[in-house]
Amino acid sequence: MPNYDVHMLSGIASYPVIVAAAGLAASHGAPLALTTMALVLGYAFYVLGSDLPDMDHPNALIHRGTKPIVSVVVGGAVYVNAAGSINVGEPWLNMAVEWGIAVLAAVIAWFAFTWMMPKHRGIVHSFLFAAVYGSLAFVLVEYGLNMTTGEGLYVGFAAFCGYALHLLLDGELSLL
């Protein structure tokens, strides 16, 4: 089975094939917008996707890299929602208590991330998750970044293809 370097370098090097396929599809009426920003974001999602299925393996670099990001995002979100709601005295003390609650949530997220992951090469190594990843990329681009639908569709397509590349390299082609 390919390792991290093989997956990532395959994603980095094979992107022109995806650009060509999308360009051909767009020239035949597919609603894909290959703008500069969409191409750059598509490249990022494609390369990330080329190793993302291994996030279900606790020793994988992508798992170890994603876990602290998820923890910080959870902690930050808890702080944003708790800010101003705690009153134990001085403003600095309120803030410290709110951050204490946020840090507790971040630590729980740290352990929950690994605990919630399915077994390695399970459902995360499937075309279903490739479609989920592509859909999330589309939603982020169109609704989170307010880009056009065509740009979102292109980035979602690139994300799906990067994820699928990993599955192809592993030789594990499963729908679920």
Side-chain angles (χ1 to χ4, degrees), residues 49-109:
S50 70
D51 197 51
L52 197 57
D54 280 343
M55 74 177 162
D56 64 1
H57 191 289
N59 294 327
L61 182 60
I62 194 88
H63 178 93
R64 293 189 328 247
T66 305
K67 186 163 47 170
I69 292 168
V70 167
S71 296
V72 168
V73 167
V74 167
V78 167
Y79 175 75
V80 165
N81 285 295
S85 66
I86 303 292
N87 187 4
V88 293
E90 296 293 324
W92 61 267
L93 184 57
N94 296 339
M95 198 179 326
V97 170
E98 291 160 357
W99 270 110
I101 294 167
V103 166
L104 178 62
V107 169
I108 291 168

Side-chain angles (χ1 to χ4, degrees), residues 21-173:
L24 180 64
S27 73
H28 285 86
L32 303 173
L34 281 71
T35 64
T36 300
M37 186 55 79
L39 289 166
V40 171
L41 287 172
Y43 192 36
F45 277 98
Y46 181 78
V47 172
L48 178 63
S50 70
D51 197 51
L52 197 57
D54 280 343
M55 74 177 162
D56 64 1
H57 191 289
N59 294 327
L61 182 60
I62 194 88
H63 178 93
R64 293 189 328 247
T66 305
K67 186 163 47 170
I69 292 168
V70 167
S71 296
V72 168
V73 167
V74 167
V78 167
Y79 175 75
V80 165
N81 285 295
S85 66
I86 303 292
N87 187 4
V88 293
E90 296 293 324
W92 61 267
L93 184 57
N94 296 339
M95 198 179 326
V97 170
E98 291 160 357
W99 270 110
I101 294 167
V103 166
L104 178 62
V107 169
I108 291 168
W110 177 272
F111 291 104
F113 183 82
T114 299
W115 177 75
M116 291 173 57
M117 279 293 152
K119 69 180 177 78
H120 185 54
R121 298 201 193 281
I123 194 165
V124 175
H125 271 74
S126 71
F127 283 104
L128 171 65
F129 263 70
V132 168
Y133 177 59
S135 298
L136 289 173
F138 166 77
V139 168
L140 173 70
V141 168
E142 182 166 1
Y143 298 104
L145 300 177
N146 291 321
M147 294 172 70
T148 68
T149 299
E151 290 169 315
L153 288 171
Y154 172 73
V155 173
F157 168 73
F160 173 85
C161 290
Y163 204 102
L165 174 65
H166 181 105
L167 303 176
L168 291 169
L169 290 171
D170 278 357
E172 302 264 340
L173 306 177

